[in-house]
């Protein structure tokens, strides 16, 4: 029987092979082939232009939010500190998948090396997991701003904000490492990934061995990350809604709602597509459908997020106008 995957993974991790896989032909995997979004060659260039524009717009818009928050005195609060960090996370998140997809639109050899696939999956899972808990931290921020306004800056001090963000990255890093190791120690009989990036479900379909343990790990471990952070977010919003309902002033009620609608919209888009993608039995996977869902939470969501936050946030719009005015004055002199 030939070895599978790369030597380093086989050296440090052992995989138990079931009796039903003993007769199958395992080969060394040096690279994978990415199927991409579509096999229709006539629209490859069109898709390249479309997603290049989306990627450039997403990066520019999120960089602009970071710039505005950094240089606007009126935005030096925990809410905008989280927003700036979330924008940085979004830039990294979309960069983990889109550049490789763009390069594959322009070539007939849509390959990714074994180690390249490992790195892409790890960073994608890391950034996606960090985003889950970052959204939960931002919901906690809104909870304190609305339910504990007098103690808001005390509860969410700079130190606490940094701890929440660091905790998000740490939990996500552990989750990503576990799933990456479990996935790439499987024996693969095929190297064509029916997706546009290296993700867990399409790679499980390439395995010759039983993947029940990996599926259980997705439900159990990822459940703590995705569902756990979603529950924490919903707890914050249940308390927020309860507080808003009990407000006597219509003006205060409307103002409180306006600060939460943007964030809640992002939560629904991200968690909705993510839960649908990862918390289904393997038998129900449809790669054509899953590619469209993946586009939603890996590409469209990062594109919409900066516009959702800026268009519905009066303080950000005021800060943008002020900075633009200052830049125009500086250019004149």
């Amino acid at each position: 029987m030939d070895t599978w995957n790369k030597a380093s993974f086989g050296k440090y991790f052992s995989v138990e092979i079931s009796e039903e896989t003993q007769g199958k032909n395992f080969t060394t995997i040096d690279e994978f082939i990415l199927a991409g979004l579509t096999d229709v060659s006539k629209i490859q260039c069109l898709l390249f232009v479309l997603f290049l524009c989306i990627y450039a717009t997403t990066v520019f818009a999120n960089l602009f939010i970071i710039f505005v928050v950094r240089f606007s005195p009126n935005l030096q609060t925990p809410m905008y500190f989280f927003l700036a960090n979330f924008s940085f996370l979004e830039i990294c998140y979309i960069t983990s998948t889109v550049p490789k997809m763009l390069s594959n639109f322009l070539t007939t050899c849509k390959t990714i090396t074994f180690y390249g696939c490992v790195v892409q999956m790890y960073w994608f899972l890391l950034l996606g997991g960090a985003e889950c808990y970052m959204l939960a931290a931002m919901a906690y921020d809104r909870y304190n701003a609305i339910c504990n306004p007098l103690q808001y800056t005390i509860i969410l001090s700079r130190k606490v904000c940094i701890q929440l963000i660091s905790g998000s990255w740490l939990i996500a890093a552990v989750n990503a490492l576990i799933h990456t190791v479990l996935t790439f120690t499987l024996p693969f009989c095929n190297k064509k990934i029916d997706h546009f990036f290296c993700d867990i479900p399409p790679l499980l379909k390439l395995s010759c061995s039983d993947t029940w343990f990996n599926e259980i790990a997705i439900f159990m471990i990822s459940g703590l990350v995705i569902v756990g952070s979603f529950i924490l977010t919903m707890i914050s919003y249940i308390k927020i809604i309860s507080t808003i309902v009990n407000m006597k002033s219509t003006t205060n009620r409307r103002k409180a709602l306006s600060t939460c609608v943007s964030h809640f919209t992002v939560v629904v888009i991200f968690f909705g597509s993510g839960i649908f993608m990862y918390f289904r039995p393997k038998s129900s996977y449809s790669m054509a459908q899953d590619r469209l869902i993946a586009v939603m939470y890996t590409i469209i969501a990062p594109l919409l997020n900066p516009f959702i936050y800026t268009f519905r946030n009066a303080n950000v719009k005021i800060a943008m106008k002020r900075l633009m005015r200052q830049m125009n004055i500086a250019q004149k002199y």
Side-chain angles (χ1 to χ4, degrees), residues 78-79 82 134-153 155-156 164 231-244 247 256 259-261 263-264:
M79 173 182 175
F82 284 121
M134 190 81 74
L135 287 170
M138 294 170 75
Y140 179 66
D141 166 77
R142 291 299 82 209
Y143 159 73
N144 283 289
I146 294 171
C147 302
N148 301 302
L150 298 179
Q151 295 180 306
Y152 174 55
T153 55
I155 296 174
L156 284 171
L164 288 171
I231 291 173
L232 290 174
T233 302
M234 289 300 100
I235 290 174
S236 295
Y237 271 102
I238 289 171
K239 293 184 177 180
I240 289 171
I241 292 171
S242 177
T243 301
I244 291 175
M247 287 181 178
T259 64
C260 298
V261 169
H263 180 259
F264 190 72

mmCIF file of all heavy atoms in Angstrom, residues 78-79 82 134-153 155-156 164 231-244 247 256 259-261 263-264:
data_model
loop_
_atom_site.group_PDB
_atom_site.id
_atom_site.type_symbol
_atom_site.label_atom_id
_atom_site.label_comp_id
_atom_site.label_asym_id
_atom_site.label_seq_id
_atom_site.Cartn_x
_atom_site.Cartn_y
_atom_site.Cartn_z
ATOM 1 N N PRO A 78 -15.275 51.820 22.618
ATOM 2 C CA PRO A 78 -15.166 50.363 22.412
ATOM 3 C C PRO A 78 -15.875 49.874 21.154
ATOM 4 O O PRO A 78 -15.368 48.993 20.458
ATOM 5 C CB PRO A 78 -15.821 49.790 23.670
ATOM 6 C CG PRO A 78 -15.587 50.832 24.714
ATOM 7 C CD PRO A 78 -15.685 52.138 23.991
ATOM 8 N N MET A 79 -17.043 50.431 20.845
ATOM 9 C CA MET A 79 -17.803 49.993 19.677
ATOM 10 C C MET A 79 -16.984 50.117 18.396
ATOM 11 O O MET A 79 -16.923 49.187 17.578
ATOM 12 C CB MET A 79 -19.084 50.813 19.551
ATOM 13 C CG MET A 79 -19.865 50.548 18.278
ATOM 14 S SD MET A 79 -21.328 51.601 18.161
ATOM 15 C CE MET A 79 -21.927 51.151 16.531
ATOM 16 N N PHE A 82 -13.881 47.762 18.219
ATOM 17 C CA PHE A 82 -14.266 46.451 17.702
ATOM 18 C C PHE A 82 -14.511 46.510 16.194
ATOM 19 O O PHE A 82 -14.135 45.585 15.465
ATOM 20 C CB PHE A 82 -15.532 45.949 18.405
ATOM 21 C CG PHE A 82 -15.302 45.431 19.793
ATOM 22 C CD1 PHE A 82 -15.955 45.993 20.883
ATOM 23 C CD2 PHE A 82 -14.444 44.364 20.022
ATOM 24 C CE1 PHE A 82 -15.747 45.511 22.162
ATOM 25 C CE2 PHE A 82 -14.228 43.880 21.300
ATOM 26 C CZ PHE A 82 -14.879 44.450 22.375
ATOM 27 N N MET A 134 -15.781 37.426 17.394
ATOM 28 C CA MET A 134 -15.714 38.881 17.293
ATOM 29 C C MET A 134 -17.124 39.459 17.219
ATOM 30 O O MET A 134 -17.428 40.492 17.841
ATOM 31 C CB MET A 134 -14.917 39.284 16.057
ATOM 32 C CG MET A 134 -14.593 40.768 15.990
ATOM 33 S SD MET A 134 -13.169 41.215 16.992
ATOM 34 C CE MET A 134 -11.840 40.550 15.991
ATOM 35 N N LEU A 135 -18.014 38.790 16.481
ATOM 36 C CA LEU A 135 -19.407 39.231 16.410
ATOM 37 C C LEU A 135 -20.084 39.103 17.772
ATOM 38 O O LEU A 135 -20.901 39.946 18.148
ATOM 39 C CB LEU A 135 -20.159 38.415 15.361
ATOM 40 C CG LEU A 135 -19.824 38.721 13.900
ATOM 41 C CD1 LEU A 135 -20.445 37.696 12.966
ATOM 42 C CD2 LEU A 135 -20.287 40.131 13.522
ATOM 43 N N ALA A 136 -19.732 38.041 18.511
ATOM 44 C CA ALA A 136 -20.281 37.875 19.860
ATOM 45 C C ALA A 136 -19.782 38.987 20.784
ATOM 46 O O ALA A 136 -20.541 39.524 21.608
ATOM 47 C CB ALA A 136 -19.894 36.507 20.420
ATOM 48 N N ALA A 137 -18.496 39.349 20.654
ATOM 49 C CA ALA A 137 -17.936 40.434 21.462
ATOM 50 C C ALA A 137 -18.598 41.775 21.125
ATOM 51 O O ALA A 137 -18.861 42.595 22.007
ATOM 52 C CB ALA A 137 -16.426 40.519 21.243
ATOM 53 N N MET A 138 -18.883 41.983 19.840
ATOM 54 C CA MET A 138 -19.551 43.220 19.428
ATOM 55 C C MET A 138 -20.990 43.262 19.940
ATOM 56 O O MET A 138 -21.516 44.337 20.271
ATOM 57 C CB MET A 138 -19.511 43.333 17.903
ATOM 58 C CG MET A 138 -18.108 43.521 17.345
ATOM 59 S SD MET A 138 -17.993 43.380 15.549
ATOM 60 C CE MET A 138 -18.688 44.949 15.037
ATOM 61 N N ALA A 139 -21.650 42.102 20.025
ATOM 62 C CA ALA A 139 -23.001 42.046 20.605
ATOM 63 C C ALA A 139 -22.941 42.357 22.095
ATOM 64 O O ALA A 139 -23.820 43.050 22.638
ATOM 65 C CB ALA A 139 -23.609 40.661 20.370
ATOM 66 N N TYR A 140 -21.904 41.856 22.765
ATOM 67 C CA TYR A 140 -21.715 42.149 24.189
ATOM 68 C C TYR A 140 -21.468 43.641 24.400
ATOM 69 O O TYR A 140 -21.949 44.241 25.375
ATOM 70 C CB TYR A 140 -20.536 41.338 24.728
ATOM 71 C CG TYR A 140 -20.225 41.568 26.179
ATOM 72 C CD1 TYR A 140 -21.123 41.198 27.182
ATOM 73 C CD2 TYR A 140 -19.015 42.156 26.561
ATOM 74 C CE1 TYR A 140 -20.821 41.409 28.522
ATOM 75 C CE2 TYR A 140 -18.709 42.359 27.893
ATOM 76 C CZ TYR A 140 -19.612 41.987 28.873
ATOM 77 O OH TYR A 140 -19.315 42.205 30.201
ATOM 78 N N ASP A 141 -20.755 44.250 23.477
ATOM 79 C CA ASP A 141 -20.524 45.693 23.517
ATOM 80 C C ASP A 141 -21.846 46.454 23.419
ATOM 81 O O ASP A 141 -22.102 47.383 24.186
ATOM 82 C CB ASP A 141 -19.608 46.099 22.361
ATOM 83 C CG ASP A 141 -19.595 47.592 22.132
ATOM 84 O OD1 ASP A 141 -18.934 48.309 22.894
ATOM 85 O OD2 ASP A 141 -20.255 48.042 21.174
ATOM 86 N N ARG A 142 -22.704 46.061 22.472
ATOM 87 C CA ARG A 142 -24.008 46.724 22.307
ATOM 88 C C ARG A 142 -24.898 46.496 23.529
ATOM 89 O O ARG A 142 -25.655 47.386 23.928
ATOM 90 C CB ARG A 142 -24.713 46.195 21.054
ATOM 91 C CG ARG A 142 -24.087 46.595 19.738
ATOM 92 C CD ARG A 142 -24.077 48.121 19.551
ATOM 93 N NE ARG A 142 -22.965 48.757 20.249
ATOM 94 C CZ ARG A 142 -22.994 49.984 20.730
ATOM 95 N NH1 ARG A 142 -24.074 50.725 20.605
ATOM 96 N NH2 ARG A 142 -21.951 50.500 21.349
ATOM 97 N N TYR A 143 -24.791 45.316 24.133
ATOM 98 C CA TYR A 143 -25.567 45.027 25.348
ATOM 99 C C TYR A 143 -25.209 45.995 26.472
ATOM 100 O O TYR A 143 -26.090 46.561 27.135
ATOM 101 C CB TYR A 143 -25.326 43.583 25.783
ATOM 102 C CG TYR A 143 -25.654 43.318 27.237
ATOM 103 C CD1 TYR A 143 -26.975 43.263 27.671
ATOM 104 C CD2 TYR A 143 -24.630 43.147 28.170
ATOM 105 C CE1 TYR A 143 -27.268 43.036 29.012
ATOM 106 C CE2 TYR A 143 -24.912 42.912 29.499
ATOM 107 C CZ TYR A 143 -26.241 42.860 29.918
ATOM 108 O OH TYR A 143 -26.525 42.659 31.244
ATOM 109 N N ASN A 144 -23.918 46.190 26.681
ATOM 110 C CA ASN A 144 -23.489 47.087 27.754
ATOM 111 C C ASN A 144 -23.802 48.543 27.437
ATOM 112 O O ASN A 144 -24.140 49.317 28.334
ATOM 113 C CB ASN A 144 -21.986 46.913 28.016
ATOM 114 C CG ASN A 144 -21.684 45.663 28.807
ATOM 115 O OD1 ASN A 144 -21.984 45.573 29.995
ATOM 116 N ND2 ASN A 144 -21.100 44.664 28.150
ATOM 117 N N ALA A 145 -23.699 48.922 26.167
ATOM 118 C CA ALA A 145 -23.997 50.303 25.783
ATOM 119 C C ALA A 145 -25.461 50.658 26.015
ATOM 120 O O ALA A 145 -25.791 51.792 26.384
ATOM 121 C CB ALA A 145 -23.635 50.522 24.318
ATOM 122 N N ILE A 146 -26.353 49.678 25.820
ATOM 123 C CA ILE A 146 -27.789 49.934 25.941
ATOM 124 C C ILE A 146 -28.326 49.594 27.328
ATOM 125 O O ILE A 146 -29.139 50.337 27.886
ATOM 126 C CB ILE A 146 -28.555 49.138 24.857
ATOM 127 C CG1 ILE A 146 -28.191 49.676 23.472
ATOM 128 C CG2 ILE A 146 -30.070 49.198 25.075
ATOM 129 C CD1 ILE A 146 -28.720 48.846 22.325
ATOM 130 N N CYS A 147 -27.857 48.497 27.883
ATOM 131 C CA CYS A 147 -28.387 48.032 29.177
ATOM 132 C C CYS A 147 -27.624 48.578 30.382
ATOM 133 O O CYS A 147 -28.186 48.667 31.473
ATOM 134 C CB CYS A 147 -28.382 46.505 29.217
ATOM 135 S SG CYS A 147 -29.332 45.732 27.889
ATOM 136 N N ASN A 148 -26.348 48.924 30.192
ATOM 137 C CA ASN A 148 -25.543 49.482 31.292
ATOM 138 C C ASN A 148 -24.800 50.735 30.816
ATOM 139 O O ASN A 148 -23.565 50.792 30.861
ATOM 140 C CB ASN A 148 -24.528 48.445 31.793
ATOM 141 C CG ASN A 148 -25.179 47.180 32.293
ATOM 142 O OD1 ASN A 148 -26.014 47.204 33.201
ATOM 143 N ND2 ASN A 148 -24.810 46.062 31.699
ATOM 144 N N PRO A 149 -25.523 51.749 30.353
ATOM 145 C CA PRO A 149 -24.859 52.917 29.755
ATOM 146 C C PRO A 149 -23.950 53.682 30.712
ATOM 147 O O PRO A 149 -22.923 54.216 30.289
ATOM 148 C CB PRO A 149 -26.039 53.791 29.301
ATOM 149 C CG PRO A 149 -27.182 53.357 30.144
ATOM 150 C CD PRO A 149 -26.991 51.889 30.375
ATOM 151 N N LEU A 150 -24.297 53.732 31.989
ATOM 152 C CA LEU A 150 -23.496 54.493 32.957
ATOM 153 C C LEU A 150 -22.167 53.800 33.268
ATOM 154 O O LEU A 150 -21.203 54.455 33.658
ATOM 155 C CB LEU A 150 -24.290 54.712 34.244
ATOM 156 C CG LEU A 150 -25.584 55.529 34.098
ATOM 157 C CD1 LEU A 150 -26.291 55.658 35.448
ATOM 158 C CD2 LEU A 150 -25.292 56.909 33.518
ATOM 159 N N GLN A 151 -22.112 52.495 33.112
ATOM 160 C CA GLN A 151 -20.894 51.738 33.410
ATOM 161 C C GLN A 151 -20.219 51.207 32.140
ATOM 162 O O GLN A 151 -19.279 50.420 32.218
ATOM 163 C CB GLN A 151 -21.229 50.551 34.330
ATOM 164 C CG GLN A 151 -21.728 50.961 35.712
ATOM 165 C CD GLN A 151 -22.035 49.747 36.567
ATOM 166 O OE1 GLN A 151 -22.785 48.860 36.177
ATOM 167 N NE2 GLN A 151 -21.446 49.702 37.750
ATOM 168 N N TYR A 152 -20.684 51.675 31.016
ATOM 169 C CA TYR A 152 -20.226 51.155 29.715
ATOM 170 C C TYR A 152 -18.704 51.229 29.563
ATOM 171 O O TYR A 152 -18.038 50.232 29.283
ATOM 172 C CB TYR A 152 -20.926 51.926 28.589
ATOM 173 C CG TYR A 152 -20.450 51.592 27.201
ATOM 174 C CD1 TYR A 152 -20.447 50.279 26.736
ATOM 175 C CD2 TYR A 152 -20.015 52.598 26.338
ATOM 176 C CE1 TYR A 152 -20.026 49.979 25.442
ATOM 177 C CE2 TYR A 152 -19.595 52.302 25.047
ATOM 178 C CZ TYR A 152 -19.604 50.992 24.609
ATOM 179 O OH TYR A 152 -19.194 50.695 23.337
ATOM 180 N N THR A 153 -18.140 52.410 29.753
ATOM 181 C CA THR A 153 -16.692 52.569 29.550
ATOM 182 C C THR A 153 -15.876 51.887 30.639
ATOM 183 O O THR A 153 -14.702 51.578 30.427
ATOM 184 C CB THR A 153 -16.329 54.068 29.506
ATOM 185 O OG1 THR A 153 -16.815 54.719 30.690
ATOM 186 C CG2 THR A 153 -16.945 54.735 28.278
ATOM 187 N N ILE A 155 -16.905 48.900 32.214
ATOM 188 C CA ILE A 155 -16.972 47.467 31.922
ATOM 189 C C ILE A 155 -16.110 47.112 30.713
ATOM 190 O O ILE A 155 -15.344 46.149 30.735
ATOM 191 C CB ILE A 155 -18.434 47.039 31.672
ATOM 192 C CG1 ILE A 155 -19.272 47.231 32.939
ATOM 193 C CG2 ILE A 155 -18.503 45.581 31.215
ATOM 194 C CD1 ILE A 155 -20.753 46.980 32.740
ATOM 195 N N LEU A 156 -16.237 47.908 29.656
ATOM 196 C CA LEU A 156 -15.479 47.647 28.430
ATOM 197 C C LEU A 156 -14.286 48.595 28.338
ATOM 198 O O LEU A 156 -14.209 49.450 27.457
ATOM 199 C CB LEU A 156 -16.383 47.779 27.209
ATOM 200 C CG LEU A 156 -17.334 46.599 26.983
ATOM 201 C CD1 LEU A 156 -18.340 46.908 25.889
ATOM 202 C CD2 LEU A 156 -16.577 45.331 26.633
ATOM 203 N N LEU A 164 -10.961 40.409 24.892
ATOM 204 C CA LEU A 164 -12.032 39.787 24.111
ATOM 205 C C LEU A 164 -11.561 39.458 22.691
ATOM 206 O O LEU A 164 -11.852 38.376 22.158
ATOM 207 C CB LEU A 164 -13.257 40.709 24.060
ATOM 208 C CG LEU A 164 -14.057 40.850 25.359
ATOM 209 C CD1 LEU A 164 -15.106 41.949 25.220
ATOM 210 C CD2 LEU A 164 -14.723 39.525 25.716
ATOM 211 N N ILE A 231 -25.042 31.560 20.208
ATOM 212 C CA ILE A 231 -25.880 31.598 21.416
ATOM 213 C C ILE A 231 -25.516 32.795 22.285
ATOM 214 O O ILE A 231 -26.392 33.500 22.799
ATOM 215 C CB ILE A 231 -25.739 30.286 22.211
ATOM 216 C CG1 ILE A 231 -26.389 29.136 21.430
ATOM 217 C CG2 ILE A 231 -26.379 30.412 23.596
ATOM 218 C CD1 ILE A 231 -26.168 27.770 22.048
ATOM 219 N N LEU A 232 -24.218 33.046 22.456
ATOM 220 C CA LEU A 232 -23.785 34.208 23.239
ATOM 221 C C LEU A 232 -24.296 35.505 22.614
ATOM 222 O O LEU A 232 -24.728 36.427 23.318
ATOM 223 C CB LEU A 232 -22.253 34.237 23.325
ATOM 224 C CG LEU A 232 -21.586 33.147 24.181
ATOM 225 C CD1 LEU A 232 -20.074 33.228 24.051
ATOM 226 C CD2 LEU A 232 -22.005 33.281 25.641
ATOM 227 N N THR A 233 -24.251 35.559 21.288
ATOM 228 C CA THR A 233 -24.744 36.744 20.586
ATOM 229 C C THR A 233 -26.240 36.922 20.804
ATOM 230 O O THR A 233 -26.722 38.030 21.062
ATOM 231 C CB THR A 233 -24.452 36.622 19.073
ATOM 232 O OG1 THR A 233 -23.043 36.456 18.878
ATOM 233 C CG2 THR A 233 -24.910 37.870 18.328
ATOM 234 N N MET A 234 -26.994 35.815 20.713
ATOM 235 C CA MET A 234 -28.446 35.883 20.884
ATOM 236 C C MET A 234 -28.839 36.245 22.317
ATOM 237 O O MET A 234 -29.823 36.947 22.540
ATOM 238 C CB MET A 234 -29.080 34.547 20.488
ATOM 239 C CG MET A 234 -29.060 34.251 18.992
ATOM 240 S SD MET A 234 -29.964 35.504 18.020
ATOM 241 C CE MET A 234 -28.613 36.523 17.420
ATOM 242 N N ILE A 235 -28.056 35.771 23.292
ATOM 243 C CA ILE A 235 -28.327 36.133 24.691
ATOM 244 C C ILE A 235 -28.213 37.646 24.863
ATOM 245 O O ILE A 235 -29.052 38.277 25.514
ATOM 246 C CB ILE A 235 -27.354 35.399 25.645
ATOM 247 C CG1 ILE A 235 -27.691 33.902 25.689
ATOM 248 C CG2 ILE A 235 -27.422 35.999 27.048
ATOM 249 C CD1 ILE A 235 -26.695 33.077 26.480
ATOM 250 N N SER A 236 -27.167 38.213 24.262
ATOM 251 C CA SER A 236 -26.989 39.669 24.346
ATOM 252 C C SER A 236 -28.172 40.392 23.705
ATOM 253 O O SER A 236 -28.699 41.365 24.255
ATOM 254 C CB SER A 236 -25.686 40.081 23.653
ATOM 255 O OG SER A 236 -24.561 39.566 24.326
ATOM 256 N N TYR A 237 -28.622 39.898 22.554
ATOM 257 C CA TYR A 237 -29.712 40.573 21.846
ATOM 258 C C TYR A 237 -31.067 40.379 22.519
ATOM 259 O O TYR A 237 -31.928 41.259 22.451
ATOM 260 C CB TYR A 237 -29.762 40.118 20.387
ATOM 261 C CG TYR A 237 -28.884 40.974 19.521
ATOM 262 C CD1 TYR A 237 -27.641 40.525 19.100
ATOM 263 C CD2 TYR A 237 -29.271 42.256 19.170
ATOM 264 C CE1 TYR A 237 -26.809 41.324 18.334
ATOM 265 C CE2 TYR A 237 -28.455 43.071 18.406
ATOM 266 C CZ TYR A 237 -27.223 42.602 17.983
ATOM 267 O OH TYR A 237 -26.406 43.409 17.244
ATOM 268 N N ILE A 238 -31.272 39.258 23.183
ATOM 269 C CA ILE A 238 -32.512 39.066 23.949
ATOM 270 C C ILE A 238 -32.598 40.094 25.071
ATOM 271 O O ILE A 238 -33.647 40.708 25.308
ATOM 272 C CB ILE A 238 -32.580 37.632 24.510
ATOM 273 C CG1 ILE A 238 -32.821 36.627 23.369
ATOM 274 C CG2 ILE A 238 -33.695 37.513 25.552
ATOM 275 C CD1 ILE A 238 -32.690 35.184 23.787
ATOM 276 N N LYS A 239 -31.469 40.307 25.743
ATOM 277 C CA LYS A 239 -31.440 41.298 26.824
ATOM 278 C C LYS A 239 -31.567 42.711 26.270
ATOM 279 O O LYS A 239 -32.199 43.573 26.888
ATOM 280 C CB LYS A 239 -30.153 41.140 27.632
ATOM 281 C CG LYS A 239 -30.083 39.825 28.404
ATOM 282 C CD LYS A 239 -28.831 39.745 29.270
ATOM 283 C CE LYS A 239 -28.827 38.458 30.092
ATOM 284 N NZ LYS A 239 -27.623 38.357 30.956
ATOM 285 N N ILE A 240 -30.960 42.946 25.107
ATOM 286 C CA ILE A 240 -31.062 44.266 24.466
ATOM 287 C C ILE A 240 -32.511 44.567 24.090
ATOM 288 O O ILE A 240 -33.032 45.653 24.382
ATOM 289 C CB ILE A 240 -30.161 44.333 23.216
ATOM 290 C CG1 ILE A 240 -28.685 44.373 23.626
ATOM 291 C CG2 ILE A 240 -30.506 45.558 22.368
ATOM 292 C CD1 ILE A 240 -27.730 44.215 22.462
ATOM 293 N N ILE A 241 -33.174 43.601 23.454
ATOM 294 C CA ILE A 241 -34.569 43.796 23.039
ATOM 295 C C ILE A 241 -35.468 44.018 24.242
ATOM 296 O O ILE A 241 -36.370 44.871 24.222
ATOM 297 C CB ILE A 241 -35.047 42.580 22.212
ATOM 298 C CG1 ILE A 241 -34.301 42.533 20.872
ATOM 299 C CG2 ILE A 241 -36.561 42.650 21.954
ATOM 300 C CD1 ILE A 241 -34.537 41.271 20.082
ATOM 301 N N SER A 242 -35.217 43.258 25.315
ATOM 302 C CA SER A 242 -36.005 43.428 26.542
ATOM 303 C C SER A 242 -35.856 44.834 27.109
ATOM 304 O O SER A 242 -36.835 45.450 27.539
ATOM 305 C CB SER A 242 -35.562 42.390 27.576
ATOM 306 O OG SER A 242 -36.252 42.575 28.785
ATOM 307 N N THR A 243 -34.631 45.349 27.083
ATOM 308 C CA THR A 243 -34.382 46.703 27.589
ATOM 309 C C THR A 243 -35.040 47.748 26.691
ATOM 310 O O THR A 243 -35.641 48.710 27.189
ATOM 311 C CB THR A 243 -32.867 46.965 27.673
ATOM 312 O OG1 THR A 243 -32.258 45.997 28.544
ATOM 313 C CG2 THR A 243 -32.592 48.372 28.206
ATOM 314 N N ILE A 244 -34.950 47.568 25.381
ATOM 315 C CA ILE A 244 -35.522 48.527 24.437
ATOM 316 C C ILE A 244 -37.047 48.578 24.568
ATOM 317 O O ILE A 244 -37.654 49.656 24.537
ATOM 318 C CB ILE A 244 -35.113 48.168 22.992
ATOM 319 C CG1 ILE A 244 -33.612 48.401 22.792
ATOM 320 C CG2 ILE A 244 -35.911 48.995 21.979
ATOM 321 C CD1 ILE A 244 -33.096 47.956 21.440
ATOM 322 N N MET A 247 -38.202 50.750 27.367
ATOM 323 C CA MET A 247 -37.895 52.181 27.315
ATOM 324 C C MET A 247 -39.170 52.995 27.110
ATOM 325 O O MET A 247 -40.012 52.646 26.289
ATOM 326 C CB MET A 247 -36.905 52.473 26.163
ATOM 327 C CG MET A 247 -35.499 52.009 26.413
ATOM 328 S SD MET A 247 -34.397 52.414 25.006
ATOM 329 C CE MET A 247 -32.832 51.815 25.634
ATOM 330 N N ALA A 256 -31.622 53.347 20.059
ATOM 331 C CA ALA A 256 -31.025 52.084 20.488
ATOM 332 C C ALA A 256 -31.135 51.022 19.403
ATOM 333 O O ALA A 256 -30.196 50.265 19.143
ATOM 334 C CB ALA A 256 -31.700 51.598 21.767
ATOM 335 N N THR A 259 -28.603 51.396 16.495
ATOM 336 C CA THR A 259 -27.219 50.981 16.764
ATOM 337 C C THR A 259 -27.050 49.467 16.700
ATOM 338 O O THR A 259 -25.923 48.978 16.630
ATOM 339 C CB THR A 259 -26.756 51.471 18.149
ATOM 340 O OG1 THR A 259 -27.561 50.846 19.163
ATOM 341 C CG2 THR A 259 -26.876 52.971 18.273
ATOM 342 N N CYS A 260 -28.161 48.733 16.721
ATOM 343 C CA CYS A 260 -28.093 47.275 16.740
ATOM 344 C C CYS A 260 -28.448 46.627 15.408
ATOM 345 O O CYS A 260 -28.024 45.501 15.138
ATOM 346 C CB CYS A 260 -29.037 46.714 17.815
ATOM 347 S SG CYS A 260 -28.617 47.217 19.494
ATOM 348 N N VAL A 261 -29.260 47.308 14.604
ATOM 349 C CA VAL A 261 -29.748 46.713 13.359
ATOM 350 C C VAL A 261 -28.600 46.312 12.440
ATOM 351 O O VAL A 261 -28.603 45.224 11.846
ATOM 352 C CB VAL A 261 -30.712 47.679 12.642
ATOM 353 C CG1 VAL A 261 -31.002 47.199 11.229
ATOM 354 C CG2 VAL A 261 -32.008 47.807 13.426
ATOM 355 N N HIS A 263 -25.420 45.561 13.096
ATOM 356 C CA HIS A 263 -24.688 44.412 13.606
ATOM 357 C C HIS A 263 -25.521 43.144 13.504
ATOM 358 O O HIS A 263 -25.017 42.079 13.115
ATOM 359 C CB HIS A 263 -24.279 44.656 15.061
ATOM 360 C CG HIS A 263 -23.525 43.511 15.674
ATOM 361 N ND1 HIS A 263 -24.119 42.595 16.518
ATOM 362 C CD2 HIS A 263 -22.236 43.112 15.526
ATOM 363 C CE1 HIS A 263 -23.226 41.706 16.889
ATOM 364 N NE2 HIS A 263 -22.083 41.987 16.308
ATOM 365 N N PHE A 264 -26.796 43.226 13.808
ATOM 366 C CA PHE A 264 -27.656 42.052 13.760
ATOM 367 C C PHE A 264 -27.804 41.546 12.324
ATOM 368 O O PHE A 264 -27.889 40.336 12.089
ATOM 369 C CB PHE A 264 -29.031 42.374 14.349
ATOM 370 C CG PHE A 264 -29.889 41.157 14.554
ATOM 371 C CD1 PHE A 264 -29.606 40.256 15.564
ATOM 372 C CD2 PHE A 264 -30.970 40.914 13.727
ATOM 373 C CE1 PHE A 264 -30.391 39.127 15.751
ATOM 374 C CE2 PHE A 264 -31.762 39.791 13.903
ATOM 375 C CZ PHE A 264 -31.473 38.891 14.925
#
